[in-house]
Amino acid sequence: MLAGVGEVDRRRLVAAMTTIRSVFDGVLPARTVVLRPPLPGDLGWVVQRHGALYAAEYGLDATFEAMVARIVADYATSHDPRTEAGWIAEVDGAPVGSIFCVRAGDGVAKLRLLFVEPSARGMGAGRALVQECVRFAKRVGYREMVLYTHDVLTAARHLYERAGFVLESATPAAVYGVDVVEEQWRLSLV
């Protein structure tokens, strides 16, 4: 029966079977965060969820979603899998978060597009994504990692601090239709 079922649908089936089993057993299953590489369709999901959620939570306009789309398009068309990678966090077979490690320059990696769905916040998905991204950057030989964020993303900023990133600069700016404080963070990997 499963011979013609693709990988994504198999994951959905397993998640559904776990739900069915837990209903009959009367026990809530432990919800586990799983990290995996992006599959077909995931990159579009990353763009769509960033655009929709950041508009709803922070009032960012469509220029933010366009910026995310450019980052994702660059990754999809020209990333070097030896030195760049992306991860999708999923819970119960459904995507709940993303992160990407891309080359920023000689010996410098850049953390991009950290995102966690509201339904998965507090489950460790963000921490797992940041840890995996940093671990990858160290493993492939980057000396340092940088990232760009806004001061209103307090949960993400807390994750970066816990991972050892240091705030290097904070500059007020009007971008994506709102006033923000743009921040640059850096982490030594050696």
Side-chain angles (χ1 to χ4, degrees):
M1 285 175 51
L2 295 177
V5 178
E7 176 69 22
V8 172
D9 285 335
R10 283 182 192 209
R11 290 175 187 271
R12 291 178 50 229
L13 279 171
V14 169
M17 287 189 275
T18 301
T19 300
I20 292 166
R21 187 177 306 128
S22 71
V23 168
F24 285 121
D25 292 346
V27 177
L28 289 176
R31 300 184 77 207
T32 304
V33 175
V34 176
L35 301 186
R36 61 168 174 76
L39 298 172
D42 285 334
L43 298 179
W45 174 83
V46 168
V47 174
Q48 187 274 331
R49 291 307 299 149
H50 269 81
L53 192 68
Y54 281 58
E57 291 188 347
Y58 305 105
L60 304 188
D61 65 18
T63 61
F64 174 76
E65 188 171 357
M67 182 268 305
V68 172
R70 280 190 296 280
I71 293 168
V72 168
D74 288 347
Y75 177 84
T77 59
S78 62
H79 85 279
D80 179 350
R82 294 171 299 166
T83 58
E84 299 174 303
W87 297 268
I88 300 297
E90 62 177 34
V91 173
D92 299 335
V96 297
S98 70
I99 199 166
F100 293 82
C101 177
V102 299
R103 184 177 185 276
D106 248 3
V108 180
K110 190 169 198 175
L111 184 153
R112 305 300 307 256
L113 303 179
L114 172 64
F115 166 78
V116 177
E117 289 281 0
S119 64
R121 292 177 186 164
M123 296 178 61
R127 182 178 63 249
L129 287 163
V130 171
Q131 287 174 345
E132 186 61 28
C133 191
V134 169
R135 201 171 14 252
F136 173 83
K138 286 180 180 179
R139 188 173 71 246
V140 300
Y142 286 111
R143 292 185 322 274
E144 60 185 355
M145 179 173 261
V146 297
L147 66 88
Y148 158 89
T149 192
H150 297 141
D151 66 331
V152 296
L153 301 174
T154 55
R157 293 173 75 250
H158 179 69
L159 290 171
Y160 302 143
E161 286 177 313
R162 287 186 65 195
F165 282 87
V166 176
L167 177 63
E168 288 201 319
S169 68
T171 309
V175 294
Y176 315 125
V178 297
D179 292 329
V180 299
V181 176
E182 297 178 320
E183 296 181 341
Q184 301 289 331
W185 295 68
R186 185 173 304 273
L187 172 67
S188 174
L189 300 174
V190 292

